[in-house]
Amino acid sequence: MSNLPTGPDSSIARLVADGYDLVLRSGHLIIRRLPYLAPSGLRRDGQLVLPVTILEGVLTDATDHRIWFDGEEPRDENGGPLATLDPHDFGVGERAEFMMSFKPPSGAYAGLHDKIRQYAHILRNPAWQIDPTVADITDGSYQVVPDDLPLVYPDTNTTRAGLITLNNLFRGHTIAIVGVGGTGSYILDQAAKTWVDRIILIDGDRLETHNAYRAPGAVAIEVLAAQPNKAEYFAAEYGRMHTGITAHPVALAEGNLHLLEGATFVFLAAADAEARPAIMRWLRDRGVPFIDVGMSFREGEHGLTGIAKVSAYLPGEDSPLPTAPAIPPGEDDYSSNIQLAELNALNAILAVIRWKRYLGFHATHAASNLTIYKLFSNEIRNGDLE
Amino acid sequence: MTVEALGEKTKTATIIVNTRAQHWSEKKITFEQVVELAFPGQPYDSAGTTVEYSRGHGADHALRPGKNVEVKDGMVFDVEPANRS
């Protein structure tokens, strides 16, 4: 859905006229059935793979003079290597093992057409030497395979970085963010850039001026004047990028826990979640993994001090759940009301990293279910819930 | 002076609780004592209170209600409800 070109592209039209067999898929232009010389000394067919950017129907090279090759190691006339081993993902489980790097005398290719023709010839010429039947391709074609990602425009960051297989770990997932305040909004800021199918936002509060100073982006003054619900505001904002966001403009409590139905991972980021123990029990009973984020900061000597805390409750772990509701902020005598965007954002990012580690997107050497950032010591500690 | 004699001598350590220096002359300190140093005389919910220590003996750790930890000069404690987001 997100990378279907809407108009013709002149480079593509010329390549098709030249006879190339092209497929646009997963943010890559794949040029198929290209003859080359294999290490065995035989002529084989392989394909060139190029990450591209697609904007309003126009394809642009998303890399420099380099290109990737899917096949056996391509050789030159003397059997020397034409490529180096440098794998690049271009689809789920699809990987081009070799990278080719030939700069034209001018320093840069004139365009997509020029670049692809040059590389196709670099591959073809050695094959020609040993197999005179290798001819220029004559029946050009172009096929666009639309993706079904829940994104408004193509994720060229993933294709450029060659991370399609890892990003596929997000597919099929529904995450819920309970509380879209200072921390929850930054969790959304990251989650909206992943391939999760759906994002459920739950918050009963209105967006007011002070929230604007603890939210990603810049809230327009007209929006603040209208005081929209936070969940609905952020769903609309991030709907510009992710198509799977739904908002529930209510506070989550024991009576409406069904709003979490279908969630495969939940972030609890509600400042005043009196229902927190009930929510946590509900999630654990259903085997839904979740992360609880909390922090507090106050004036110390020579500046602010405090901690940010990420507690992960994952299936198969028997870490204890809190039995009493968290003290509503302001009602415990030592709670402070100091909250700052960078600390909210840090806590949110620590939670998102923990989630991605759980999914296997990030490698994990030590599985700890507690992360604490101490501002005064400027240290992050891994621990376990006790 | 023998090692035992050294151990018996009362030494006051300086510990830092929520950035403020405090003097502590006992060998160990409990969760409840740390919270009391941070917020003297204030009621609190121990289950909802996080006490963390750094620069002690061994690795950094949490101090749980009813538990204690050996004090080291220069040890740093953080005491927070950590209930905001």
Side-chain angles (χ1 to χ4, degrees):
Chain A
M1 177 166 113
S2 57
N3 64 5
L4 194 65
T6 54
D9 182 288
S10 60
S11 291
I12 295 295
R14 288 177 67 197
L15 287 164
V16 172
D18 289 348
Y20 290 102
D21 178 8
L22 311 167
V23 176
L24 178 65
R25 174 163 58 85
S26 300
H28 288 87
L29 187 63
I30 301 154
I31 306 95
R32 304 192 291 193
R33 294 193 290 140
L34 296 173
Y36 71 101
L37 180 61
S40 56
L42 297 173
R43 167 253 163 110
R44 292 268 183 261
D45 281 356
Q47 48 193 17
L48 285 168
V49 173
L50 180 67
V52 289
T53 301
I54 309 120
L55 198 58
E56 293 179 339
V58 177
L59 270 63
T60 316
D61 195 347
T63 182
D64 43 30
H65 59 278
R66 294 170 303 159
I67 202 162
W68 279 266
F69 179 74
D70 179 27
E72 296 172 58
E73 186 186 38
R75 296 289 170 93
D76 66 15
E77 289 86 343
N78 306 312
L82 284 174
T84 54
L85 198 61
D86 183 2
H88 178 88
D89 275 1
F90 65 99
V92 178
E94 288 190 278
R95 172 175 275 211
E97 293 291 341
F98 297 98
M99 188 268 287
M100 299 178 73
S101 178
F102 289 89
K103 259 191 192 171
S106 65
Y109 292 103
L112 219 53
H113 175 259
D114 182 34
K115 179 173 176 176
I116 287 163
R117 264 177 58 101
Q118 291 301 330
Y119 274 108
H121 289 168
I122 289 168
L123 289 167
R124 183 202 60 187
N125 291 343
W128 221 340
Q129 304 278 316
I130 58 121
D131 180 0
T133 68
V134 170
D136 277 335
I137 314 155
T138 50
D139 53 342
S141 69
Y142 180 49
Q143 217 189 312
V144 177
V145 182
D147 70 42
D148 56 351
L149 293 175
L151 300 168
V152 174
Y153 45 89
D155 180 2
T156 50
N157 184 52
T158 289
T159 51
R160 209 181 247 254
L163 294 176
I164 292 175
T165 302
L166 277 178
N167 273 285
N168 215 48
L169 292 169
F170 296 107
R171 310 234 20 211
H173 281 280
T174 296
I175 64 158
I177 303 173
V178 181
V180 205
T183 303
S185 59
Y186 279 100
I187 292 171
L188 172 64
D189 190 46
Q190 302 305 311
K193 288 149 188 160
T194 72
W195 294 3
V196 289
D197 289 13
R198 296 201 304 138
I199 301 172
I200 300 167
L201 304 179
I202 305 172
D203 199 314
D205 292 340
R206 298 200 162 275
L207 191 73
E208 296 173 69
T209 313
H210 65 95
N211 303 129
Y213 290 89
R214 294 200 299 127
V219 186
I221 191 169
E222 296 80 9
V223 171
L224 292 171
Q227 295 199 353
N229 168 267
K230 279 185 194 170
E232 291 176 337
Y233 167 75
F234 283 111
E237 278 293 293
Y238 285 87
R240 290 201 300 254
M241 191 162 187
H242 199 286
T243 57
I245 307 176
T246 49
H248 298 291
V250 292
L252 189 67
E254 272 197 90
N256 59 5
L257 291 174
H258 64 273
L259 296 176
L260 296 175
E261 297 279 3
T264 54
F265 202 99
V266 175
F267 292 93
L268 295 179
D272 52 355
E274 272 188 70
R276 191 178 299 224
I279 299 170
M280 289 179 162
R281 276 198 309 275
W282 191 92
L283 292 169
R284 178 162 283 182
D285 288 348
R286 283 157 184 78
V288 180
F290 62 97
I291 283 177
D292 185 40
V293 284
M295 60 182 214
S296 49
F297 293 91
R298 67 190 62 253
E299 279 195 48
E301 274 180 19
H302 314 297
L304 298 181
T305 190
I307 62 169
K309 187 176 172 184
V310 171
S311 312
Y313 298 83
L314 308 173
E317 294 177 353
D318 57 356
S319 45
L321 295 178
T323 50
I327 310 160
E331 289 183 25
D332 50 336
D333 286 357
Y334 67 110
S335 180
S336 85
N337 197 30
I338 296 170
Q339 297 177 79
L340 286 166
E342 71 273 27
L343 299 168
N344 281 124
L346 174 66
N347 213 15
I349 300 299
L350 290 174
V352 168
I353 291 172
R354 186 64 190 85
W355 169 53
K356 290 189 175 183
R357 286 159 68 95
Y358 167 72
L359 289 178
F361 185 89
H362 294 311
T364 299
H365 180 260
S368 117
N369 55 19
L370 179 69
T371 309
I372 298 225
Y373 172 71
K374 309 175 191 185
L375 182 57
F376 182 53
S377 323
N378 191 38
E379 283 168 356
I380 294 175
R381 179 177 84 78
N382 277 329
D384 288 302
L385 294 164
E386 295 170 23
Chain B
M1 197 186 283
T2 65
V3 174
E4 279 140 81
L6 256 178
E8 281 159 20
K9 195 178 168 189
T10 309
K11 282 200 295 184
T12 299
T14 300
I15 58 173
I16 299 161
V17 182
N18 286 1
T19 74
R20 294 189 169 81
Q22 307 274 358
H23 300 294
W24 195 254
S25 54
E26 293 169 42
K27 212 172 167 192
K28 293 183 169 184
I29 192 164
T30 66
F31 171 94
E32 290 74 16
Q33 288 168 325
V34 178
V35 181
E36 181 60 24
L37 285 174
F39 305 104
Q42 293 184 36
Y44 66 95
D45 167 26
S46 61
T49 301
T50 298
V51 173
E52 282 280 318
Y53 61 82
S54 309
R55 314 264 198 286
H57 295 282
D60 293 1
H61 213 281
L63 183 55
R64 304 296 300 142
K67 306 280 185 185
N68 61 59
V69 63
E70 202 178 329
V71 169
K72 188 177 173 185
D73 195 52
M75 198 166 178
V76 176
F77 290 88
D78 285 290
V79 185
E80 294 293 342
N83 60 350
R84 301 226 160 213
S85 56

